[in-house]
Amino acid sequence: MTTATLGGMPAITYNFAYLDEQTKRMIRRAILKAIAVPGYQVPFAAREMPMPYGWGTGGVQVTAAVLGPDDVLKVIDQGADDTTNAVAIRGFFEKTAGVATTTATTEATVIQTRHRIPETPLRDDQILVYQVPIPEPLRFLEPRETETRQMHALEEYGLMHVKLYEDIARHGHIATTYAYPVEVAGRYVMDPSPIPKFDNPKMDDCPALQLFGAGREKRIYAIPPHTRVRSLDFEDHPFEVQRFAQPCALCAARGVYLDEVILDDRGGRMFVCSDTDYCESRQAAGHRGEMAPPDAALPQPVSPRGEDATRVSDDASSDLSASARGRPAGAGAGAGTGAGTGAGGTEAGHD
Amino acid sequence: MTEQPLLIAETLGKNYGARIGCRDVALEVYPGEVLAVVGESGSGKSTLLGLLSTELEPSAGRVSYRLRDGSLRDLATLGAAERRLLMRTDWGFVRQNPADGLRMAVSAGGNVGERLMAVGRRHYGDIRTEALDWLGRVEIAADRIDDDPRSFSGGMRQRLQIARNLVTRPRLVFMDEPTGGLDVSVQARLLDLVRSLVSEMGLAVIIVTHDLAVARLLSHRMVVMRQGRVIETGLTDQVLDDPREPYTQLLVSSVLAA
């Protein structure tokens, strides 16, 4: 229990992690079922949360149900720890659960994410919780929920390939760049939430438990650790991830997902890691991209808190601020468009 | 005919509450045969088609179908997965309104290719080649392959629907007023096309129509329905030229001469 006193007013108390225990039990049952049937969308009685739909109400409920007092929570939004959604949800659990939070992927035990998988490989003692706007991969092909459930039950997934066919017919290649459908454990076709397809291979055989929560749609689904996750494709148009021509402008990383950041109105731009923690760790380790600030301007140690996984206090936001990281202010979530993928990057899938 | 029937309906009936949809229908369809079901509006034609194609659950009787392996199966005993597989491989269903049978937001090529992908085909180039071939066979220009059916005329949509259904080379096709709402010249070309495809592929067809001219042109045999019952069956020419039942006589004499 955490309490806050408002100048003589009665203290506001929350149950651990906001939700009452019965609700958490209900959600845990749904999670267990989801783990037992990988990729299957389990309906659950999603609650109203103190945030609007589309801001991660599903992910927050899943996180609340799996969080324990000893957990260390990390929240990312489009890969960044310092955007509104991530800061707000981290603050929410600090206040209602009093758990330790972190921005370092390696220190976290529970990571709630909106639209990215961290670049640092996950471990078997970590849980990745996705915020899902639309859990039904067949939604835009077949609007009737009664029909799509039937299709899942009978494994009728020809329609999913019709969508990919349409992509190739219109664009010459599979132009779906985010929310790219996957087949889980050789059975259910699943929407991996609007992560860029760059992240799809990370879901395959991942040691961490992956949970997906859709609050508005009231569905939970899961990928148990070390499960086969295959991105759908055609024999003559195999699945490919986005590739970037240049490395990160700040940390010189290659083979990571980059955000395009517009610098001015004369066409100036830079490509930087969308995973801010990964980028900062690399810079702290001495990696320098071509637009990296001089050494003196960098935040000194890698962990802004100086010790492992302490709570983020209010003033901690200052060392997360954009200027300290050499990133132009307001460029947090980035344009999300990979080089060579044209329009239709991650941002187009805003929930 | 020495062959065994493809589809057998016995004492088939459907009630909508106290109202009768159709009642006590028995019929057989042989491979390669076109059977027309005629009758006025409300006579139970569409109900019968729904029952035969398992879209409706019968209140009485049963429908049996001979699978490709030669075994005759009661369709009610097939599992949902088996039944749906049958519907998208061995059967076709051409609907009166093409919007019900097509995906209007998907290109013509995607519409034709859907069934192929549904049965596991995963080679884009092959699927496209086959779609092009079928568009050619139903006289849709190859450069329309990436257009969606919303930009097609009524006749083109209906031809596309036929291509979409025939691409998996089904053995039995259900047609519900396929020429309804088309003007006569378009209708004539469509009928011509259906007739040549049917004979070329050896399709069995059950066609529901209120248009006796369509029935005469396409079908070998004919079933006349009234108030949910089959009142007369026979060879098409025989029924149309020498109708036995008073109602059939009325129906035949009601046809407008051009």
Side-chain angles (χ1 to χ4, degrees), chain A residues 132-281:
Chain A
V132 181
I134 296 167
E136 179 51 71
L138 301 162
R139 170 71 47 88
F140 296 106
L141 303 158
E142 173 55 69
R144 290 167 297 179
E145 183 81 13
T146 47
E147 184 66 15
T148 55
R149 299 191 71 157
Q150 185 79 235
M151 290 161 82
H152 282 295
L154 300 175
E155 224 178 325
E156 275 187 24
Y157 292 129
L159 202 51
M160 206 72 248
H161 273 86
V162 171
K163 178 178 187 293
L164 301 180
Y165 170 95
E166 291 290 286
D167 259 10
I168 303 173
R170 296 219 163 110
H171 308 286
H173 60 96
I174 298 177
T176 303
T177 52
Y178 63 93
Y180 191 104
V182 294
E183 177 198 87
V184 181
R187 177 58 179 86
Y188 283 96
V189 165
M190 188 193 91
D191 185 331
S193 88
I195 58 170
K197 66 178 175 181
F198 180 89
D199 285 341
N200 273 20
K202 294 180 193 165
M203 292 188 288
D204 183 31
D205 199 30
C206 178
L209 171 63
Q210 301 173 75
L211 302 175
F212 298 77
R216 177 174 39 209
E217 304 273 335
K218 300 176 170 48
R219 294 287 185 279
I220 286 174
Y221 50 105
I223 304 174
H226 298 294
T227 301
R228 178 102 176 85
V229 178
R230 194 177 61 83
S231 303
L232 301 182
D233 60 2
F234 283 103
E235 287 158 18
D236 48 347
H237 286 266
F239 172 78
E240 280 178 352
V241 299
Q242 292 99 328
R243 274 192 283 269
F244 300 90
Q246 64 273 69
C248 171
L250 295 180
C251 76
R254 289 184 185 273
V256 296
Y257 194 74
L258 301 180
D259 282 338
E260 181 183 14
V261 179
I262 306 295
L263 298 175
D264 51 39
D265 57 1
R266 295 184 303 280
R269 63 188 58 196
M270 67 195 289
F271 286 90
V272 294
C273 290
S274 115
D275 186 335
T276 54
D277 168 60
Y278 184 79
C279 196
E280 282 163 18
S281 313

Side-chain angles (χ1 to χ4, degrees), chain B residues 27-48:
Chain B
L27 54 82
E28 292 180 347
V29 181
Y30 286 82
E33 179 187 46
V34 180
L35 178 74
V37 179
V38 301
E40 61 191 7
S41 300
S43 60
K45 305 186 300 277
S46 296
T47 299
L48 177 61

Side-chain angles (χ1 to χ4, degrees), chain A residues 104-141:
Chain A
T105 303
T106 51
E107 291 169 9
T109 57
V110 176
I111 303 172
Q112 181 170 331
T113 175
R114 175 175 175 268
H115 309 182
R116 268 317 304 277
I117 298 175
E119 302 290 356
T120 312
L122 300 176
R123 299 185 311 264
D124 61 4
D125 61 342
Q126 293 177 314
I127 298 175
L128 187 59
V129 179
Y130 296 77
Q131 301 171 198
V132 181
I134 296 167
E136 179 51 71
L138 301 162
R139 170 71 47 88
F140 296 106
L141 303 158

Side-chain angles (χ1 to χ4, degrees), chain B residues 23-258:
Chain B
R23 193 170 189 178
D24 217 17
V25 176
L27 54 82
E28 292 180 347
V29 181
Y30 286 82
E33 179 187 46
V34 180
L35 178 74
V37 179
V38 301
E40 61 191 7
S41 300
S43 60
K45 305 186 300 277
S46 296
T47 299
L48 177 61
L49 200 67
L51 290 172
L52 294 175
S53 63
T54 74
E55 290 198 341
L56 295 175
E57 191 113 349
S59 310
R62 62 181 182 156
V63 183
S64 312
Y65 180 73
R66 197 171 302 281
L67 299 177
R68 280 185 198 251
D69 63 9
S71 64
L72 191 69
R73 294 281 300 274
D74 181 350
L75 291 176
T77 65
L78 287 182
E82 246 180 320
R83 200 154 58 211
R84 285 173 74 124
L85 181 69
L86 192 70
M87 288 179 87
R88 62 174 190 256
T89 54
D90 224 18
W91 289 3
F93 203 131
V94 177
R95 298 178 192 275
Q96 177 172 7
N97 180 1
D100 297 336
L102 293 171
R103 295 200 184 275
M104 298 306 277
V106 165
S107 72
N111 263 296
V112 178
E114 179 178 345
R115 277 179 161 230
L116 296 173
M117 293 181 252
V119 296
R121 295 276 290 275
R122 294 291 180 262
H123 192 284
Y124 174 81
D126 290 354
I127 291 166
R128 198 162 168 89
T129 309
E130 198 143 339
L132 270 173
D133 176 48
W134 270 101
L135 290 181
R137 291 172 80 162
V138 298
E139 297 163 17
I140 294 174
D143 63 0
R144 302 300 299 271
I145 186 168
D146 292 331
D147 294 348
D148 68 45
R150 283 176 294 211
S151 68
F152 285 13
S153 68
M156 279 173 82
R157 289 179 187 186
Q158 209 51 289
R159 295 203 297 275
L160 180 62
Q161 203 191 165
I162 289 168
R164 170 183 162 89
N165 274 287
L166 297 189
V167 68
T168 50
R169 306 195 167 269
R171 294 189 302 157
L172 175 62
V173 178
F174 301 96
M175 296 186 181
D176 191 359
E177 306 271 12
T179 56
L182 299 178
D183 64 55
V184 283
S185 62
V186 174
Q187 208 177 78
R189 272 174 58 206
L190 188 75
L191 289 174
D192 225 27
L193 176 76
V194 171
R195 198 152 64 152
S196 63
L197 287 173
V198 162
S199 65
E200 194 182 307
M201 298 175 69
L203 283 177
V205 178
I206 300 176
I207 180 170
V208 160
T209 179
H210 63 267
D211 187 337
L212 294 181
V214 169
R216 187 193 282 276
L217 201 66
L218 286 180
S219 68
H220 305 120
R221 276 199 311 137
M222 181 161 171
V223 168
V224 183
M225 291 191 74
R226 189 190 183 201
Q227 292 173 355
R229 290 172 184 276
V230 172
I231 57 162
E232 185 162 357
T233 62
L235 298 175
T236 302
D237 290 346
Q238 178 200 329
V239 172
L240 291 179
D241 293 342
D242 186 14
R244 182 167 49 91
E245 291 291 321
Y247 173 73
T248 318
Q249 292 168 2
L250 179 74
L251 208 63
V252 170
S253 64
S254 306
V255 174
L256 294 172

Side-chain angles (χ1 to χ4, degrees), chain A residues 26-57:
Chain A
M26 175 271 293
I27 296 172
R28 285 176 199 141
R29 277 197 294 272
I31 291 173
L32 285 176
K33 184 170 178 181
I35 293 169
V37 193
Y40 172 70
Q41 299 166 45
V42 182
F44 80 112
R47 300 293 194 245
E48 290 284 332
M49 295 303 282
M51 59 181 69
Y53 287 132
W55 285 79
T57 53

